[in-house]
Amino acid sequence: MPAFEYAALAPGRGRVEGRLEAANQAAAAAALRTQGWFVLRLAPQTDPGSQQSSGLRWPWQRRIKARHRVFLLGQWALMLRSGLTLLQTLETSAQQAPTPWIRFQLEQLSQRVQQGHSFSSALSMSSGLVSPFVVQLVRSGEVTGQLDQVLDRAARALERQLALRARLASALIYPTIVVLVAVAVAVFLVVKVIPKFAAFFARRGAELPWAAKALVGMSAWLVDYGPYVLLGLAGSGLGLWLLRRTHRGRLAWDQTLLRIPLLGTVLQAALMAQMGQTLAMLLRSGMNLLEALHITAQSTGNLAIRTRLLRAAELITQGEPLDRALQAPELPRLVCQLVAVGQRSGTLEEVLDEIGQFYDQQLQAYIQRL
């Protein structure tokens, strides 16, 4: 009997993950629902041998770039819309793969589909070919029979995320470079230039004003203790890096980033734009709210926002409306207020999409100010 891996929300227990055996996927889902659990993810358990063969480490293997994912999704949507079958689409895509590793993954994907796996199930077994967000969209497209449209929407969504990240990078990189250059110039002046002027005035016997004396004293201190300062900064940086590798450390770090003046505002705008657009697209694809919240949380890079969205999903299972479930210091009050309006009017998808567009425009305004 085939085995299935599942993730579900259990009343009073939160998220539960495990494995069960059933005649088929529908029977496995029914068995979970009879316990009062809400199914979040259900997929056939991958065979260890197939994992080993698909997880081979080729010398040229690299992490698949986001622009390659956009290219693949758009290519699949175009070929399916043109009348090609799924197998023909995958075979043609493998022949035109941008890298050997992607070609290998596409060939493995085609073989799984030939063996009887659904397209979404075969994608979930691939090594990072697409994100879980895309897998869920493909699964909904298989149910509705609109696979080409779903793939096209997924490509457009991923393209918007790339543009959003590019704008965010442009907002932060230039000010960072300016600050680093300014600090380097200031250190050079204090360590190299000021000591020479101090020696010159000392030979002249000139009396310096208090501000100049303070600057000369700081220069002398920095020359004497500069190496220790550098070691301290390096140790602090290493400690922060190690702390961020822990769950609590990364959560505290991400929460702190959102509270930093100006920087936190820019990051929050970028996260809200991504959250609104992703949730709107998932709900339009026919996905239920709980599953959409979980997938949106997994696609969010900030752990504080991710934790809040997962907590919101748990509160919804306890009867809380979405606007109250989202209330948290990490999320703007405007988002909760607009979500409440969308729930009352039955236009939640449209409101979430407008939230994403609004914060995208806000992000562009912040970039111009920077």
Side-chain angles (χ1 to χ4, degrees):
M1 186 174 294
F4 297 88
E5 296 175 345
Y6 67 85
L9 283 177
R13 296 175 57 186
R15 185 181 176 91
V16 179
E17 296 183 358
R19 170 184 173 277
L20 60 83
E21 295 182 351
N24 50 48
Q25 193 166 357
L32 294 173
R33 293 192 184 98
T34 55
Q35 303 180 52
W37 293 2
F38 184 86
V39 181
L40 297 173
R41 178 177 57 83
L42 183 62
Q45 187 179 32
T46 55
D47 181 46
S50 65
Q51 282 186 346
Q52 186 177 3
S53 62
S54 65
L56 291 174
R57 296 297 175 182
W58 292 61
W60 52 75
Q61 178 182 355
R62 296 291 186 272
R63 182 179 177 183
I64 298 176
K65 297 180 180 179
R67 59 186 177 86
H68 289 159
R69 289 180 174 177
V70 172
F71 172 76
L72 287 176
L73 293 173
Q75 187 185 56
W76 293 345
L78 178 61
M79 287 191 285
L80 289 174
R81 198 181 304 118
S82 300
L84 296 182
T85 65
L86 181 58
L87 281 175
Q88 290 174 332
T89 295
L90 294 177
E91 291 171 357
T92 305
S93 184
Q95 295 171 3
Q96 302 175 0
T99 66
W101 175 245
I102 294 179
R103 183 184 304 115
F104 172 73
Q105 287 291 319
L106 290 173
E107 290 171 352
Q108 293 290 311
L109 181 63
S110 179
Q111 291 178 11
R112 294 190 190 102
V113 173
Q114 289 178 0
Q115 293 169 1
H117 291 281
S118 65
F119 187 35
S120 57
S121 176
L123 279 174
S124 65
M125 299 178 191
S126 301
S127 286
L129 188 61
V130 295
S131 64
F133 164 73
V134 174
V135 173
Q136 295 295 335
L137 283 177
V138 169
R139 184 171 290 123
S140 67
E142 290 173 332
V143 173
T144 59
Q146 299 177 341
L147 186 57
D148 57 338
Q149 299 178 21
V150 166
L151 288 171
D152 187 60
R153 284 198 294 265
R156 294 176 183 273
L158 187 54
E159 198 169 7
R160 284 197 302 268
Q161 291 180 11
L162 287 177
L164 193 66
R165 292 175 185 174
R167 287 197 295 270
L168 183 59
S170 68
L172 301 179
I173 288 177
Y174 180 73
T176 302
I177 292 175
V178 171
V179 170
L180 291 177
V181 171
V183 170
V185 170
V187 170
F188 174 77
L189 291 174
V190 170
V191 173
K192 295 293 184 181
V193 178
I194 291 179
K196 294 181 179 180
F197 278 97
F200 172 77
F201 286 116
R203 288 194 302 268
R204 291 292 187 107
E207 181 68 21
L208 298 177
W210 68 268
K213 288 181 179 179
L215 193 59
V216 170
M218 183 182 67
S219 173
W221 182 89
L222 194 58
V223 169
D224 293 337
Y225 298 99
Y228 302 103
V229 173
L230 291 177
L231 287 175
L233 291 175
S236 301
L238 178 61
L240 286 174
W241 180 76
L242 293 174
L243 182 65
R244 194 176 180 274
R245 292 177 66 88
T246 65
H247 179 79
R248 289 187 177 181
R250 185 181 174 188
L251 179 61
W253 174 266
D254 287 352
Q255 288 174 337
T256 303
L257 286 179
L258 293 175
R259 297 190 183 104
I260 297 176
L262 190 61
L263 175 62
T265 305
V266 173
L267 291 177
Q268 191 179 62
L271 290 167
M272 292 303 100
Q274 180 184 354
M275 185 193 77
Q277 293 171 357
T278 304
L279 268 177
M281 187 175 61
L282 290 173
L283 293 175
R284 282 200 184 103
S285 300
M287 199 172 295
N288 60 73
L289 180 58
L290 288 176
E291 195 169 9
L293 283 172
H294 273 266
I295 295 173
T296 303
Q298 296 304 322
S299 64
T300 300
N302 187 283
L303 187 57
I305 300 296
R306 182 186 306 171
T307 303
R308 184 65 253 174
L309 292 177
L310 293 175
R311 177 58 181 163
E314 295 181 6
L315 291 175
I316 288 174
T317 62
Q318 300 172 10
E320 289 285 347
L322 178 60
D323 60 308
R324 292 184 183 177
L326 288 175
Q327 290 179 0
E330 296 82 8
L331 298 176
R333 292 185 58 185
L334 177 63
V335 172
C336 300
Q337 294 170 352
L338 292 175
V339 166
V341 172
Q343 289 180 129
R344 287 195 298 267
S345 61
T347 58
L348 182 59
E349 301 167 9
E350 289 78 4
V351 167
L352 287 170
D353 192 39
E354 290 178 1
I355 288 174
Q357 295 178 14
F358 170 77
Y359 280 102
D360 194 5
Q361 295 172 358
Q362 290 289 105
L363 179 61
Q364 296 182 34
Y366 293 146
I367 291 172
Q368 292 176 358
R369 293 177 188 175
L370 286 174

